[in-house]
């Protein structure tokens, strides 16, 4: 599971930073939309990895849970891009 979370982090980090770079705050709906986008990106990446590695197929709910775990564990944060943009 740790390896899978790392793969999801790798593929989600830059899109999240790019989305946060131009914003100073987010509405609840915008946060939900960003998490949905990251879930789609991660699911697509896991599907492509499953053809080469021994990753079991994951449904969207499991992938969304993994994305949310990365936020909960502070590996992903909505203020990352905002801090980079201010410097």
């Amino acid at each position: 599971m740790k390896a899978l979370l790392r793969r999801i982090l790798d593929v989600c980090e830059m899109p999240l930073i790019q989305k946060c770079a131009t914003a100073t705050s987010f509405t609840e709906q915008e946060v939900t939309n960003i998490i949905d986008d990251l879930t789609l990106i991660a699911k697509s990446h896991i599907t492509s990895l499953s053809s080469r590695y021994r990753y079991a197929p994951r449904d969207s709910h499991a992938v969304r849970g993994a994305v949310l775990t990365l936020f909960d564990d502070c590996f992903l944060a909505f203020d990352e891009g905002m801090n980079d943009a201010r410097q």
Side-chain angles (χ1 to χ4, degrees):
M1 187 61 182
K2 294 283 185 189
L4 182 63
L5 286 173
R6 178 57 199 216
R7 297 281 192 159
I8 293 172
L9 173 63
D10 289 343
V11 76
C12 288
E13 190 172 32
M14 192 52 63
L16 179 62
I17 289 171
Q18 291 170 343
K19 289 177 186 294
C20 292
T22 58
T24 56
S25 65
F26 295 103
T27 66
E28 184 177 337
Q29 186 60 51
E30 289 171 326
V31 169
T32 300
N33 291 344
I34 290 170
I35 291 171
D36 290 345
D37 291 346
L38 294 176
T39 299
L40 289 173
I41 291 167
K43 179 135 177 62
S44 174
H45 188 61
I46 292 168
T47 300
S48 72
L49 290 172
S50 295
S51 67
R52 292 177 282 166
Y53 302 101
R54 296 175 65 184
Y55 286 111
R58 303 278 199 261
D59 64 27
S60 294
H61 295 291
V63 175
R64 183 181 181 87
V67 170
L68 292 173
T69 296
L70 290 170
F71 278 102
D72 190 47
D73 292 346
C74 298
F75 288 103
L76 293 176
F78 283 98
D79 60 354
E80 286 180 21
M82 292 175 193
N83 290 336
D84 293 342
R86 289 184 199 131
Q87 294 177 354

